[in-house]
Amino acid sequence: MNRLKFTLSIKNIFLLCCLAGSFANADAQDLTNIKFTATEDTAWTNLFVRENGWFGGDGIYSIPLNGVESGKPEAKKTLFIFSDSMIGKIKDGKMEPGARMIHNSVAVLKGVKPVKENISFFSKNDAKDSAETVFVPKTPLTGPKDYYWLGDGFVNQEQNDAIYIFGYRVKQVGDGAFGFSEVGNTLIKISQKEQPPFKNFEQKDTPFYLSESETEKEMGSFGAGIFVNTAKAGAPNPDGYIYIYGVKGMAKKLLVARVKPKEFDDYSKWNFWDGVTWNTDIKKAEPVTDQVSNELSLSVLPDGRYALVFQQSGLSRTVGMRLGKTPVGPFGPIIKLWDCSDALKEKSYFPYNAKAHPSLSGKGELLISYNVNSFEFFKDLDKDPQLYRPRFIKVKFN
């Protein structure tokens, strides 16, 4: 339910800025100061307060189905993807018998406004018409008890508008809120013609999972966030690449890869930032910052700076932002956007995995979600069945 220092040398910072290419005047930008106001967005939060069918989940990545991640035109439909999800009914503040958890689900919103009548949730059904998981791993490396949590995704306009989503293969290794382990990284590809809950889709293992070994003690994986830096996606300074972000180790170090859209599923074409330049060897990927979360986002601000949005260190109460000069940094210090304390009704509750949704954001704003969970999940869910859902804030940049 949760997928929980590196300092660049002066020389590396200089080289990074020189190699960034299309990001002109980046070295003149301030990475410390920004004026903004942050408020709760109750309309978006209330969109996910439900009593029938889907009533809880984590994840909530948003994918505009027209492929335009920022700017206009607005998407006619947005796909939301969730990881572990609660399906059932709530009556008089209590879950009715039969409520169950599935490992992932999806929803589709018509338009870009939080209108309850315009959102539909989807899961698959078994022979008894009970809700089932949408994406089930069936790759050569899949173990008998593996399941998917979902990473970020996007519509690839250079590959017939197919939807690409990262799937983290996970298995249970114990009890409690953190009794799980990620064991692999998979890429899911959905044809533009397929409709939710996506009966047919392709999936294949990737080499983008960094397992622990005798020489490398930190596990990592790519897919925590995707930034589509293309003209078709509405990027203001496009260089034609897809940037994919990975998170490594307990310090939540941020790694960066990039690839052209047409070559997205050709793993040999991927390159990884090694602190100085792009390298084909994933083992040479170097962190560009730390204290991020296993789900995050990168967005372009109106002034041209890049906003990395995340839950500080994975589980803290702070929705944080680092400002960057390019999609690979350098990134400045953490700027606190929001304190999630008001959403934590019990001491056992915790917030996690904040990220921005630029395609759903107003001009000069970022709509940001974060999730709430509990260290005593099923006990607290019985008392507060709607605890396990996203909350939203709106950050307006002045």
Side-chain angles (χ1 to χ4, degrees):
M1 296 173 196
N2 173 63
R3 298 187 292 273
L4 294 184
K5 205 165 196 192
F6 177 82
T7 303
L8 290 170
S9 68
I10 299 295
K11 178 181 178 182
N12 283 357
I13 291 175
F14 175 77
L15 287 170
L16 188 153
C17 291
C18 291
L19 291 166
S22 61
F23 308 101
N25 300 320
D27 57 344
Q29 295 177 359
D30 178 32
L31 302 182
T32 304
N33 299 310
I34 190 167
K35 294 181 179 180
F36 67 89
T37 54
T39 57
E40 292 184 72
D41 197 315
T42 54
W44 277 102
T45 295
N46 290 339
L47 183 65
F48 296 93
V49 177
R50 297 168 50 84
E51 296 184 337
N52 189 25
W54 186 100
F55 67 89
D58 56 12
I60 196 162
Y61 287 101
S62 57
I63 304 173
L65 292 179
N66 66 352
V68 181
E69 299 278 341
S70 57
K72 306 295 181 182
E74 295 179 342
K76 293 182 179 179
K77 291 183 178 180
T78 296
L79 175 69
F80 292 108
I81 55 177
F82 306 92
S83 293
D84 286 342
S85 304
M86 292 300 303
I87 311 294
K89 293 183 179 181
I90 299 172
K91 186 176 181 179
D92 299 327
K94 295 291 184 180
M95 287 187 297
E96 293 195 338
R100 64 187 306 184
M101 173 178 280
I102 59 176
H103 290 305
N104 52 73
S105 63
V106 301
V108 173
L109 175 70
K110 295 179 181 178
V112 293
K113 303 297 182 182
V115 179
K116 286 206 172 188
E117 292 76 15
N118 290 349
I119 191 168
S120 301
F121 291 78
F122 300 89
S123 59
K124 291 182 177 176
N125 293 327
D126 62 15
K128 297 181 180 179
D129 204 33
S130 296
E132 289 289 346
T133 297
V134 172
F135 301 106
V136 177
K138 294 180 180 179
T139 67
L141 296 180
T142 297
K145 295 184 179 180
D146 293 358
Y147 56 92
Y148 279 144
W149 276 329
L150 301 178
D152 203 355
F154 75 108
V155 168
N156 194 329
Q157 297 183 76
E158 300 299 328
Q159 293 204 35
N160 300 314
D161 290 335
I163 302 169
Y164 284 84
I165 300 170
F166 281 93
Y168 302 111
R169 287 192 296 105
V170 176
K171 69 177 181 180
Q172 290 299 124
V173 294
D175 298 324
F178 302 103
F180 57 85
S181 178
E182 183 181 345
V183 295
N185 183 296
T186 303
L187 191 61
I188 297 167
K189 181 179 180 181
I190 308 167
S191 168
Q192 183 268 341
K193 296 179 181 180
E194 284 293 316
Q195 298 298 313
F198 305 124
K199 181 179 180 180
N200 300 302
F201 56 90
E202 301 175 33
Q203 53 181 311
K204 64 177 182 177
D205 296 300
T206 81
F208 308 134
Y209 168 69
L210 305 172
S211 60
E212 294 180 343
S213 66
E214 292 183 3
T215 57
E216 180 57 72
K217 301 299 183 182
E218 296 180 315
M219 186 274 288
S221 195
F222 281 82
I226 296 174
F227 174 59
V228 186
N229 198 29
T230 68
K232 287 184 177 181
N237 295 299
D239 63 1
Y241 283 95
I242 310 293
Y243 288 80
I244 306 96
Y245 296 88
V247 178
K248 177 181 177 181
M250 295 301 292
K252 304 300 179 187
K253 302 171 186 177
L254 186 70
L255 308 176
V256 190
R258 76 176 187 180
V259 66
K260 293 284 189 177
K262 287 184 178 180
E263 301 169 337
F264 193 81
D265 42 10
D266 183 350
Y267 304 150
S268 68
K269 301 295 186 180
W270 283 49
N271 284 270
F272 305 87
W273 185 251
D274 66 9
V276 176
T277 189
W278 295 101
N279 199 304
T280 58
D281 187 354
I282 191 174
K283 294 181 180 179
K284 294 183 179 180
E286 286 287 348
V288 296
T289 191
D290 61 5
Q291 297 186 66
V292 297
S293 50
N294 291 81
E295 296 181 14
L296 49 79
S297 64
L298 186 93
S299 310
V300 186
L301 297 180
D303 62 12
R305 288 181 290 182
Y306 293 82
L308 181 67
V309 175
F310 51 90
Q311 201 84 31
Q312 183 175 350
S313 298
L315 291 181
S316 80
R317 298 186 176 201
T318 296
V319 175
M321 176 179 69
R322 292 186 188 269
L323 297 176
K325 296 181 178 182
T326 78
V328 295
F331 289 101
I334 295 174
I335 297 169
K336 183 177 179 179
L337 296 178
W338 191 257
D339 185 328
C340 303
S341 296
D342 286 348
L344 310 180
K345 297 180 181 180
E346 302 289 343
K347 292 182 179 180
S348 52
Y349 290 12
F350 62 88
Y352 60 114
N353 286 340
K355 66 183 75 68
H357 305 269
S359 66
L360 300 172
S361 303
K363 186 177 181 180
E365 300 175 345
L366 277 180
L367 178 69
I368 296 172
S369 64
Y370 65 92
N371 294 98
V372 174
N373 206 325
S374 170
F375 293 110
E376 299 181 24
F377 181 72
F378 288 106
K379 178 181 177 181
D380 284 336
L381 195 69
D382 188 53
K383 297 182 295 183
D384 181 9
Q386 291 180 336
L387 78 89
Y388 183 52
R389 55 180 170 81
R391 276 71 166 172
F392 289 82
I393 62 173
K394 181 185 296 181
V395 178
K396 184 174 181 62
F397 298 97
N398 304 321

